[in-house]
Amino acid sequence: MRKFLIVTADDFGLHETINEAVEQASQAGVLTAASLLVGAPAAADAVRRARRLPHLRVGLHLVLADGRAVLTPECIPGLADQTGYMNSRMFVNGVRFFSLPGVRRQLEAEIRAQFAAFARTGLTLDHVNVHKHFHLHPTLLAMLLRVGREFGVSAVRVPYEPLWFAARGGTWLSGANAALLGPWVALMKRRLRKAHMLHNDQLFGIAASGAMDEAKFLAILARLPPGVTEIYLHPAVRSGTAIAASMSGYRHADELAALLSPRVRAAIATGDFGHGGYADLMHARTMHAA
């Protein structure tokens, strides 16, 4: 299959307004996947909804920065503060992950705890990705792959956004950042291929995080490149700080409107490409090979 499209909602379980949006968008037929925050306040509600959405593929959205850990603070003092919060100092933490064996052991324990929490939901694990794309860090990616194999991981998101969209979706700086990440992305893809992991070829939504409206969605579909494309969004029935204090500028409701747009739905229905989750991609490739 020359082209395949995966449309994913991140932060599933963060808030019930997100869960409601995921349910609406899955039923409408455009949204094919969601990434679950297993330690988030509305995770149980998200799991209940997912069980009644037969076409929604659910994966794990690992949180290892700027979020709450699953393990107690006493178990991971090198990762989280006394409230269980893991900070967003990713460069500093990345150096610590590489250089401090004790911190690496805590990191691996937290990764395993989040995978185990997903397994307890009883949902089929479609994919894994990491909050803020932290798995670009080679040490973290190695842990993800090692632990993930124990829990049946078969697909991992690669955070490569084409330059034409990165610059359009944000600013010139977004395009420059995308270019600078090129060597890290190439290394990630090589390691995933070596591990026999499915992955996307390109990703849309980084520079336009929280602002993936109908116009941007249609622009991507009009120029959908060959290979596996993932578009990720943060839909909700309400926007901004109602979801989280750090999302004051996010247009969650506009992203939901894009997923419910008849124009987007028609563009997908008439497009010459497959459409589904990573499990559907694997099935399509198996059928094509046969």
Side-chain angles (χ1 to χ4, degrees), residues 15 17-18 210 234-245 247-257:
H15 197 280
T17 59
I18 293 175
H234 302 84
V237 297
R238 296 167 60 191
S239 292
T241 54
I243 309 299
M247 294 180 169
S248 60
Y250 275 43
R251 293 156 42 201
H252 297 89
D254 287 347
E255 295 202 339
L256 174 58

Side-chain angles (χ1 to χ4, degrees), residues 108-238:
E108 185 162 342
E110 177 62 24
I111 291 172
R112 180 170 279 103
Q114 292 189 35
F115 271 110
F118 187 98
R120 288 193 295 272
T121 70
L123 298 173
T124 299
L125 181 62
D126 182 73
H127 60 270
V128 63
N129 51 55
V130 181
H131 188 49
K132 294 185 176 291
H133 314 296
F134 208 177
H135 57 314
L136 275 167
H137 191 298
T139 301
L140 203 159
L141 178 62
M143 287 186 187
L144 186 157
L145 293 175
R146 183 168 60 251
V147 177
R149 285 192 189 96
E150 300 174 21
F151 292 90
V153 170
S154 59
V156 177
R157 174 188 288 169
V158 171
Y160 165 69
E161 189 163 59
L163 291 177
W164 73 265
F165 188 80
R168 167 189 169 141
T171 63
W172 69 268
L173 185 59
S174 299
N177 285 339
L180 290 171
L181 288 175
W184 295 100
V185 169
L187 174 62
M188 174 182 278
K189 287 184 175 182
R190 286 198 299 272
R191 294 180 72 177
L192 291 175
R193 286 194 295 270
K194 186 176 179 180
H196 305 291
M197 288 283 173
L198 278 178
H199 63 81
N200 55 304
D201 296 296
Q202 50 271 326
L203 179 71
F204 292 94
I206 299 172
S209 186
M212 185 65 76
D213 56 21
E214 181 193 62
K216 293 185 180 74
F217 212 128
L218 290 171
I220 295 166
L221 295 176
R223 296 181 58 174
L224 197 72
V228 179
T229 297
E230 183 176 358
I231 302 174
Y232 81 100
L233 307 91
H234 302 84
V237 297
R238 296 167 60 191

